[in-house]
Amino acid sequence: MKEIKFLHIADLHLDSPFIGLSTLPQPLFSAVQESTFQSLERITTIAIKEAVDFVLIAGDIYDSEDQSVRAQARFLKEMKRLEAANINVFMIHGNHDFIEKHKEKLALPNNVHVFPEQVEVTSLQTASGVHVHLYGFSYNERHIRSSRVDEYNVQGDADFHIALLHGSEVASSEEHDVYAPFRVQEISKKGFDYWALGHIHKRQLLAEFPSIYYPGNIQGRNRKESGEKGASIITLSEANTSIDFIETSPIIWDEVVISLPENSEINTFYREMTKLLESYRGRSHSYFLHVIVQMANKQKLNTNDWLQMLQEEVELEDTTFVWVHKITIEITNKSNSQTWHEHHLAGKEIMHSYHKLQDESAFYQAVEGLYLESGVSRYLDDLSEQDRETILNEALMELGMTLAEVEGDNK
């Protein structure tokens, strides 16, 4: 039975600026800046160790079209390592690193095939004699809104046909801009044996027969890109497809929960937080932690004070670190916190404003001052409908807690 083994990665985002993290202590920020390169080095080592037949890179190698010479040189170094191991690389450019013809770039070695602006087919014969046809195209502009699926057509005789596509599945693109859209049902019928996708930063297997797969990015860059990141080894045969994920990211974003009993004292929180941080120390990765503190009552913790204390205690000389970047208070006894307005004198007016702000245009009109402030707007993420709803619900609960304290109901 004929079989091939290849490595599939996407969304490397080399030289990412890591917006919002520049205020970290310098040793930590340097580690963050190095993380995408370190992940790529580990991936190259895995490809060589596993003796894969080839490597696929499905777009967004760099974080922007203005690719630094440093980032290009680091990428070139890894491609040369693969060349020395006789491993071919097939890559496409995505919306972040689209091809600009007038800009000079460092020349890549002969083992790297870069697909052009139109869908092209190229062939490869593996060391075991398996014949593979590969198809793909690179972005030549930042925004490709139209579908390119019609350009993907199986050509010629080959043992396997593999398509590379940097784009969005139409039904599940809430957190990413929709580029080169496609539908799973549509591309499943095209006759390819595997779809190597890129653009979505979360690992997703959209279909099994044929496998239509996002490997995710190789290093999380913010709290929305939590969990392990890395590369996927694909073993493709005439009868089956197996996908093995291998974690390579040196830094992991994680969200953890601490549940406090009712009327807990400050020592209880300190003890639970210390226990939590100790559980992360000594691991082989560094961590950014978002700590969610679940409390049954309305007792308030000064999260900024705690955050500052925890961050000051981080050992900056260690090879790995555990950095608490956010503490969120979550009231578990929500029955009172969610219905307090029903009995409040200004309850009707408050709920009128709450429902009005659920309209997208009204919400952004209320917060447009933040987006117009240049010093703040660059740190603001795009908000989905779910994000806006969460913000409004938390604001309503916070207002209730604040009024209760001011009016003496929290005694």
Side-chain angles (χ1 to χ4, degrees):
M1 181 182 297
K2 294 182 177 179
E3 181 178 280
I4 55 174
K5 181 170 70 172
F6 57 93
L7 185 144
H8 175 194
I9 57 175
D11 300 284
L12 287 60
H13 289 276
L14 300 179
D15 227 8
S16 173
F18 289 94
I19 293 174
L21 299 181
S22 59
T23 57
L24 287 171
Q26 187 55 47
L28 269 62
F29 188 57
S30 295
V32 168
Q33 288 181 306
E34 182 67 16
S35 61
T36 55
F37 299 112
Q38 189 174 350
S39 187
L40 177 60
E41 291 172 8
R42 293 175 177 179
I43 288 169
T44 304
T45 300
I46 289 167
I48 295 171
K49 181 180 178 181
E50 293 289 329
V52 298
D53 293 310
F54 52 89
V55 170
L56 303 182
I57 308 180
D60 283 357
I61 294 88
Y62 304 100
D63 193 66
S64 73
E65 64 271 21
D66 297 320
Q67 300 145 22
S68 71
V69 174
R70 172 176 176 264
Q72 292 183 59
R74 296 289 290 273
F75 182 69
L76 174 61
K77 178 182 177 181
E78 299 310 309
M79 297 304 100
K80 286 184 174 179
R81 288 180 63 199
L82 292 172
E83 181 184 39
N86 294 315
I87 297 175
N88 287 308
V89 180
F90 300 89
M91 59 174 271
I92 57 178
H93 286 279
N95 56 293
H96 275 267
D97 63 346
F98 61 89
I99 295 174
E100 289 190 282
K101 292 183 178 180
H102 65 280
K103 288 189 176 181
E104 291 190 29
K105 299 288 191 300
L106 293 180
L108 295 171
N110 292 330
N111 66 313
V112 180
H113 178 88
V114 181
F115 286 90
E117 301 165 17
Q118 302 298 324
V119 175
E120 175 190 74
V121 57
T122 188
S123 61
L124 167 76
Q125 185 167 314
T126 68
S128 61
V130 179
H131 193 197
V132 184
H133 281 184
L134 301 108
Y135 307 71
F137 79 94
S138 290
Y139 283 47
N140 64 342
E141 58 182 335
R142 175 84 179 193
H143 307 291
I144 295 183
R145 305 291 189 185
S146 59
S147 173
R148 303 290 293 270
V149 173
D150 287 345
E151 300 176 33
Y152 284 84
N153 296 296
V154 169
Q155 299 180 32
D157 294 326
D159 298 305
F160 298 102
H161 297 268
I162 297 174
L164 288 81
L165 175 62
H166 191 87
S168 313
E169 203 281 316
V170 175
S172 58
S173 303
E174 294 181 2
E175 296 184 4
H176 293 263
D177 292 326
V178 177
Y179 297 135
F182 65 89
R183 297 183 186 279
V184 170
Q185 185 178 13
E186 177 184 26
I187 64 175
S188 296
K189 299 176 180 178
K190 299 290 291 187
F192 292 91
D193 299 293
Y194 184 85
W195 283 86
L197 303 180
H199 183 52
I200 303 302
H201 292 181
K202 181 180 180 180
R203 292 196 307 280
Q204 298 180 54
L205 180 62
L206 302 185
E208 293 186 359
F209 306 105
S211 292
I212 302 172
Y213 182 62
Y214 284 110
N217 53 343
I218 68 170
Q219 170 59 61
R221 300 175 302 156
N222 54 58
R223 62 181 178 81
K224 292 184 177 180
E225 298 177 355
S226 61
E228 297 178 336
K229 303 288 183 177
S232 295
I233 299 287
I234 316 300
T235 304
L236 181 61
S237 71
E238 296 168 309
N240 188 42
T241 302
S242 66
I243 300 175
D244 296 309
F245 170 75
I246 302 176
E247 192 279 323
T248 61
S249 58
I251 301 174
I252 296 176
W253 293 76
D254 205 359
E255 185 175 277
V256 292
V257 175
I258 292 179
S259 297
L260 297 182
E262 191 170 358
N263 300 319
S264 296
E265 297 182 354
I266 188 173
N267 288 322
T268 304
F269 180 50
Y270 183 79
R271 183 172 60 253
E272 291 300 317
M273 181 63 78
T274 301
K275 187 190 304 181
L276 170 69
L277 295 181
E278 284 297 329
S279 71
Y280 277 88
R281 293 194 176 100
R283 301 188 188 186
S284 59
H285 301 87
S286 294
Y287 289 87
F288 282 108
L289 297 184
H290 173 198
V291 179
I292 300 174
V293 184
Q294 294 182 339
M295 308 172 65
N297 55 32
K298 297 177 182 177
Q299 177 185 347
K300 293 270 289 188
L301 289 173
N302 187 332
T303 55
N304 290 332
D305 187 25
W306 279 94
L307 199 59
Q308 181 179 359
M309 181 274 293
L310 292 169
Q311 292 175 351
E312 287 177 351
E313 290 191 352
V314 174
E315 296 291 336
L316 301 180
E317 302 302 322
D318 291 349
T319 55
T320 60
F321 62 84
V322 182
W323 183 264
V324 180
H325 71 94
K326 186 177 182 180
I327 299 176
T328 300
I329 305 298
E330 186 177 279
I331 305 301
T332 54
N333 182 16
K334 293 185 177 180
S335 57
N336 292 331
S337 60
Q338 288 181 331
T339 61
W340 64 267
H341 50 82
E342 295 178 2
H343 310 289
H344 196 277
L345 183 63
K348 289 184 178 180
E349 290 76 9
I350 290 170
M351 291 310 295
H352 174 75
S353 299
Y354 171 81
H355 291 303
K356 181 178 180 180
L357 287 171
Q358 288 182 328
D359 177 75
E360 182 177 3
S361 60
F363 179 92
Y364 281 110
Q365 185 176 358
V367 300
E368 65 178 348
L370 290 173
Y371 285 87
L372 293 174
E373 175 57 52
S374 59
V376 176
S377 60
R378 61 198 180 102
Y379 297 115
L380 297 178
D381 295 327
D382 292 333
L383 298 175
S384 66
E385 182 178 352
Q386 185 177 359
D387 290 332
R388 297 197 308 274
E389 183 178 352
T390 299
I391 290 172
L392 288 174
N393 288 334
E394 290 179 352
L396 183 63
M397 291 173 58
E398 187 71 23
L399 177 60
M401 293 167 61
T402 303
L403 289 176
E405 292 175 358
V406 171
E407 298 168 0
D409 293 339
N410 199 36
K411 294 180 180 179

